[in-house]
C-alpha cells in the first residue's frame, strides 16, 4: 500500500496539474482484464526528451567535455507538437517557445562573451520561464538541470 501511494505522488509532481491525469487515458482490454494506460501527448514526449538531452549536456559541461556544435533540430517540434487537451498553444506559449529555442541554440554556438555554462543555464531558465506560466508541476525537476 505504501508503495502504491508514493507512485501516485510522483505522477502528480511530474504533470502540470492533477486534472490532466484523467484526460488522456487509453483503455486496453484483453478479454479478462481492463487496463487504463496513461497516454502522453506528443508535447509531453518531446519535453521528456529535451529533459534527458539537457541532463546529458549538464553532465558533459560539468565534466569539461567538449559540447557538440549541432543544435538538436528535433527541439523545433516545440512549435508543432500536439499538446494535451487542457493546454493551449496561446500567445504566451508561442512567446516562450521562441525565446527558449533562441537560448538553446546559443548553447551550441561558441561565443566568447558568455561561457558555455552561462549559455546553458540561460536556456534552462527559459524552460522555467515558460513553466512558471504554462505548467508548474515539473518545475522542481527542471531546476535540477541548472548548473550551480
Ligand atoms: C513554451 C513553453 C515551454 C517551454 C519553453 C518548455 N516547456 Fe516543458 N512543458 C510545457 C507544457 C505546456 C507542458 C505540458 C505538455 C502537455 O501536457 O501536453 C510541458 C511538460 C513538461 C514536462 C512534463 C512531461 C511529462 O508529461 O511528464 C517536463 C519534464 C518538461 N516540460 C520539461 C521541460 C524542459 C527540461 C524544458 C527546457 C529544456 C522545457 N520543458 C521547456 C511548456 C514548456
Amino acid at each position: 500500500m505504501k508503495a502504491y501511494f508514493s507512485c501516485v505522488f510522483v505522477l502528480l509532481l511530474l504533470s502540470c496539474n492533477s486534472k490532466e491525469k484523467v484526460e488522456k487515458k487509453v483503455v486496453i482490454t484483453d478479454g479478462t482484464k481492463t487496463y487504463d494506460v496513461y497516454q502522453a501527448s506528443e508535447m509531453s514526449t518531446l519535453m521528456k526528451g529535451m529533459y534527458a538531452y539537457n541532463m546529458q549536456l549538464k553532465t558533459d559541461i560539468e565534466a569539461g567535455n567538449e559540447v557538440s556544435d549541432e543544435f538538436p533540430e528535433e527541439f523545433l517540434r516545440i512549435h508543432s507538437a500536439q499538446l494535451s487537451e487542457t493546454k493551449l498553444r496561446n500567445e504566451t506559449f508561442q512567446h516562450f517557445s521562441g525565446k527558449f529555442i533562441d537560448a538553446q541554440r546559443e548553447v551550441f554556438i561558441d561565443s566568447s562573451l558568455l561561457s558555455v555554462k552561462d549559455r546553458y543555464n540561460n536556456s534552462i531558465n527559459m524552460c522555467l520561464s515558460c513553466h512558471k506560466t504554462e505548467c508548474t508541476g515539473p518545475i522542481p525537476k527542471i531546476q535540477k538541470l541548472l548548473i550551480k
Side-chain angles (χ1 to χ4, degrees):
M1 217 40 192
K2 206 174 164 199
Y4 172 75
F5 280 125
S6 56
C7 284
V8 171
F9 180 64
V10 167
L11 276 178
L12 292 181
L13 263 185
L14 294 183
S15 66
C16 301
N17 52 51
S18 46
K19 260 187 271 157
E20 267 180 74
K21 290 278 102 291
V22 271
E23 35 109 13
K24 269 234 168 174
K25 267 191 178 171
V26 182
V27 178
I28 300 174
T29 314
D30 71 358
T32 51
K33 280 187 195 145
T34 306
Y35 307 93
D36 279 348
V37 182
Y38 171 67
Q39 199 186 41
S41 66
E42 272 175 32
M43 187 64 85
S44 146
T45 307
L46 172 68
M47 291 285 163
K48 286 180 198 162
M50 296 201 303
Y51 181 87
Y53 192 98
N54 277 286
M55 189 52 98
Q56 183 57 50
L57 213 49
K58 174 185 178 178
T59 311
D60 284 341
I61 295 170
E62 283 180 332
N65 296 340
E66 202 177 319
V67 170
S68 148
D69 58 3
E70 268 177 63
F71 168 76
E73 298 288 328
E74 314 85 84
F75 285 15
L76 295 177
R77 289 186 42 235
I78 196 170
H79 298 309
S80 60
Q82 188 204 338
L83 288 148
S84 302
E85 282 151 42
T86 53
K87 298 276 164 224
L88 291 175
R89 193 177 286 284
N90 55 19
E91 263 178 48
T92 321
F93 186 92
Q94 314 260 29
H95 169 77
F96 283 119
S97 51
K99 291 258 186 200
F100 162 70
I101 291 296
D102 289 348
Q104 186 89 67
R105 268 191 202 284
E106 285 291 315
V107 178
F108 303 91
I109 300 168
D110 200 6
S111 134
S112 53
L113 295 172
L114 287 177
S115 68
V116 66
K117 177 192 153 191
D118 287 346
R119 284 178 277 134
Y120 168 85
N121 277 342
N122 286 345
S123 73
I124 302 304
N125 280 320
M126 289 316 301
C127 305
L128 290 167
S129 299
C130 184
H131 273 264
K132 276 176 194 150
T133 63
E134 295 294 299
C135 170
T136 52
I139 288 179
K141 186 176 166 179
I142 301 174
Q143 277 168 336
K144 295 200 185 112
L145 289 175
L146 287 169
I147 301 177
K148 304 257 154 55

